C-alpha cells in the first residue's frame, strides 16, 4: 500500500494490452499513428485546436511557459505553484523567463488585486508580464468555476495569456461534476498529467492553439523530448483519458474516509471539509514522531510520505479496505 503519491499507480491491464498492440512509427517524423490519434482526439475532447504529447508534466508546463513567453518576459503564478516551486526553476533556467510568484489564498486561488499590482508597467526597467499561470487542483483543492471566469476576464483586461497547470484537472472536473471543457474553455493553454491518478505509466499533454503547439513542438525537440515509437505510451494515455476518469470519484471518497478516520486520532489535525479530491493533509501535533510513524508503517508494508503537514494521496491502487488498515495501524502506533 502506497499513500505517498498518485504517481505510483501501475498501468491497468487494459493499458498493458493496448501498449503491446499499439501501431507505432517515428513520432519525430510525425509518423506514429497512435500518437497522432491521441493528440487529435485530446485536442477535440478538451476544446483546443491542437495538442502535444510530452514525457512529463514538468516538460508540458515548460513547453507552455516557453511557448507563451520569451527571454526577458515574465509569468505570474502562485507561490505554491508546481511550475514555480517544484520544477527546478526550469522556466528561468531554460527559458530565461522571470517568475513573479504571488502568495496563494487559503483556497488555492490568487487574489486579482495582488496580481494587478504585480503586473509590470511598460517601462525599460521591467520584465514584460505576459502570462498568468494557475493550477487546478492545487494541493488537492479545486478552483471554483466562477474564479476561472474572473481569471479569464482579468487576463483579457490586462492583455495576458492564461495557462492552466492541469496535472490533476480531472480530479477537479470529477469533484465539480462538470465536463472537462467547462474548466478548459477559460484557458489559452492547459496541461494534463496522464501518469498520476489516471494511471498511465508515462506522459502528459499540452493543449493550445495550433500556433502555440507548433512552437512547443520545436522546443520539445530542443529539450530532448522528441520521442520515437512513443505510441506505446500514447496507447496507455488514451485509456487513461477514456477509462480512468470516472473512477477518480472512488479516490475522493477514500480520501474522505481516510480524513474522517485519522481526524479521530489524538494529535492528527485535519480539516475534513477541506478534503475536496484525492489528497489529505494532516497537521501533526509535536508529540507525534512522523519519522517513527513512517518506519513502523513501512514494516507493515504501508508507505507514507514524511514531513508536517503529512500528505496522503489516494489512487487506483489503494482501496477502501486499505484505508481502513492504514487508520488501524496509525491508531496502534499512537497507542504505542
Ligand atoms: C506532478 C505535477 C506536475 C509535474 O508532472 P511530472 O509528470 O511529475 O513532471 C506538474 N504540476 C502539478 C500540479 C503536479 O502535481
Amino acid at each position: 500500500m502506497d499513500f505517498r503519491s498518485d504517481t505510483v499507480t501501475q498501468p491497468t491491464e487494459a493499458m498493458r494490452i493496448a501498449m503491446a498492440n499499439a501501431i507505432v512509427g517515428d513520432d519525430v517524423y510525425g509518423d506514429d499513428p497512435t500518437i497522432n490519434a491521441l493528440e487529435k482526439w485530446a485536442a477535440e475532447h478538451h476544446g483546443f485546436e491542437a495538442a502535444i504529447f510530452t514525457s512529463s508534466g514538468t516538460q508540458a508546463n515548460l513547453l507552455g511557459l516557453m511557448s507563451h513567453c520569451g527571454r526577458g518576459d515574465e509569468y505570474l503564478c502562485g507561490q505554491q505553484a508546481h511550475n514555480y516551486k517544484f520544477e527546478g526553476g526550469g522556466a528561468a533556467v531554460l527559458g530565461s523567463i522571470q517568475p513573479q510568484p504571488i502568495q496563494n489564498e487559503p483556497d488555492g486561488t490568487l487574489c486579482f488585486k495582488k496580481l494587478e499590482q504585480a503586473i509590470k508597467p511598460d517601462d525599460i526597467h521591467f520584465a514584460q508580464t505576459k502570462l498568468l499561470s494557475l493550477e487546478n487542483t492545487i494541493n488537492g483543492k479545486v478552483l471554483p468555476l466562477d474564479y476561472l471566469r474572473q481569471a479569464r476576464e482579468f487576463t483579457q483586461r490586462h492583455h495576458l495569456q492564461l495557462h492552466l497547470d492541469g496535472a490533476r484537472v480531472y480530479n477537479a472536473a470529477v469533484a465539480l461534476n462538470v465536463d472537462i471543457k467547462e474548466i478548459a474553455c477559460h484557458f489559452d493553454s492547459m496541461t494534463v498529467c496522464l501518469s498520476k491518478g489516471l494511471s498511465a505509466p508515462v506522459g502528459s499533454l499540452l493543449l493550445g492553439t495550433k500556433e502555440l503547439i507548433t512552437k512547443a513542438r520545436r522546443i520539445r525537440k530542443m529539450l530532448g523530448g522528441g520521442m520515437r515509437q512513443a505510441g506505446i505510451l500514447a496507447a496507455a494515455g488514451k485509456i487513461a483519458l477514456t477509462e480512468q476518469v470516472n473512477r477518480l470519484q472512488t479516490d475522493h471518497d477514500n480520501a474522505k474516509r481516510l480524513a474522517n478516520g485519522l481526524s479521530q486520532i489524538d494529535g492528527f489535525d485535519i480539516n475534513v471539509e477541506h478534503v475536496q479530491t484525492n489528497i489529505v493533509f494532516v497537521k501533526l501535533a509535536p508529540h507525534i514522531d512522523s519519522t517513527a510513524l513512517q518506519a513502523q508503517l513501512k514494516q507493515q508494508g504501508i508507505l507514507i510520505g514524511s514531513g508536517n503537514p503529512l500528505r496522503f494521496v489516494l489512487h487506483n491502487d489503494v482501496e477502501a479496505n486499505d484505508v481502513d488498515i492504514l487508520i488501524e495501524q496509525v491508531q496502534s502506533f499512537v497507542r504505542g
Side-chain angles (χ1 to χ4, degrees):
M1 289 176 219
D2 195 337
F3 292 91
R4 293 171 302 166
S5 177
D6 47 10
T7 54
V8 303
T9 41
Q10 295 286 315
T12 64
E13 194 55 34
M15 286 177 185
R16 289 182 185 274
I17 292 167
M19 292 171 82
N21 295 309
I23 302 166
V24 295
D26 189 333
D27 182 49
V28 175
Y29 287 139
D31 281 352
D32 190 304
T34 309
I35 288 272
N36 292 342
L38 175 67
E39 290 180 346
K40 183 166 184 290
W41 180 86
E44 279 165 20
H45 184 72
H46 297 88
F48 289 89
E49 283 177 15
I52 183 169
F53 183 76
T54 66
S55 59
S56 68
T58 300
Q59 189 179 68
N61 271 326
L62 181 60
L63 295 184
L65 295 171
M66 287 179 72
S67 301
H68 284 296
C69 304
R71 195 172 159 80
D73 289 341
E74 175 181 84
Y75 70 107
L76 307 170
C77 59
Q79 190 78 43
Q80 301 306 322
H82 199 282
N83 63 24
Y84 168 61
K85 202 172 168 184
F86 300 103
E87 296 183 6
V93 175
L94 300 163
S96 299
I97 308 162
Q98 167 170 288
Q100 169 62 69
I102 305 291
Q103 196 62 54
N104 292 89
E105 301 302 314
D107 66 356
T109 61
L110 301 175
C111 163
F112 294 116
K113 262 222 175 76
K114 290 179 193 163
L115 286 169
E116 190 156 26
Q117 284 164 359
I119 296 174
K120 308 296 178 288
D122 185 5
D123 175 312
I124 57 167
H125 289 86
F126 300 119
Q128 291 185 282
T129 313
K130 287 281 168 70
L131 176 75
L132 169 60
S133 177
L134 299 177
E135 186 173 315
N136 194 17
T137 61
I138 175 156
N139 290 329
K141 289 185 190 134
V142 180
L143 300 183
L145 287 178
D146 194 49
Y147 177 79
L148 303 185
R149 254 174 248 125
Q150 291 170 38
R152 177 77 282 181
E153 276 170 29
F154 174 85
T155 52
Q156 273 166 352
R157 193 155 14 99
H158 293 284
H159 307 290
L160 302 177
Q161 298 287 298
L162 184 58
H163 173 77
L164 183 68
D165 177 349
R168 295 194 180 88
V169 69
Y170 274 97
N171 293 92
V174 166
L176 292 169
N177 193 23
V178 297
D179 188 88
I180 194 70
K181 280 186 182 145
E182 287 197 44
I183 296 174
C185 66
H186 300 290
F187 294 90
D188 296 298
S189 60
M190 177 170 100
T191 60
V192 180
C193 268
L194 307 171
S195 62
K196 291 200 169 158
L198 299 180
S199 302
V202 180
S204 282
L205 292 165
L206 172 68
L207 303 137
T209 61
K210 275 193 181 131
E211 192 189 344
L212 188 94
I213 299 302
T214 301
K215 265 193 192 174
R217 211 170 280 284
R218 178 178 287 272
I219 299 165
R220 187 185 68 174
K221 188 75 183 83
M222 182 184 77
L223 294 172
M227 296 187 282
R228 303 298 181 178
Q229 285 71 34
I232 295 210
L233 304 174
K238 178 76 185 286
I239 290 172
L241 291 169
T242 51
E243 294 183 14
Q244 296 298 114
V245 169
N246 289 337
R247 63 150 307 285
L248 292 176
Q249 185 59 49
T250 305
D251 300 342
H252 300 179
D253 295 343
N254 285 340
K256 279 269 187 225
R257 188 185 187 95
L258 179 62
N260 281 322
L262 291 181
S263 67
Q264 313 288 315
I265 301 173
D266 182 42
F268 285 68
D269 183 13
I270 303 173
N271 193 332
V272 178
E273 299 298 298
H274 285 182
V275 179
Q276 298 173 359
T277 59
N278 66 328
I279 303 181
V280 179
F281 284 97
V282 185
K283 234 189 184 156
L284 300 174
H287 69 272
I288 306 285
D289 178 348
S290 72
T291 313
L293 172 65
Q294 191 184 35
Q296 183 167 321
L297 289 175
K298 194 171 179 185
Q299 285 184 344
Q300 310 297 323
I302 302 171
L303 299 177
I304 65 163
S306 56
N308 192 7
L310 197 50
R311 187 184 83 154
F312 295 85
V313 187
L314 286 301
H315 54 75
N316 192 31
D317 298 344
V318 288
E319 292 166 15
N321 187 46
D322 300 327
V323 170
D324 295 341
I325 293 170
L326 171 63
I327 295 165
E328 274 167 36
Q329 291 298 328
V330 173
Q331 279 166 340
S332 107
F333 170 83
V334 171
R335 280 197 298 267

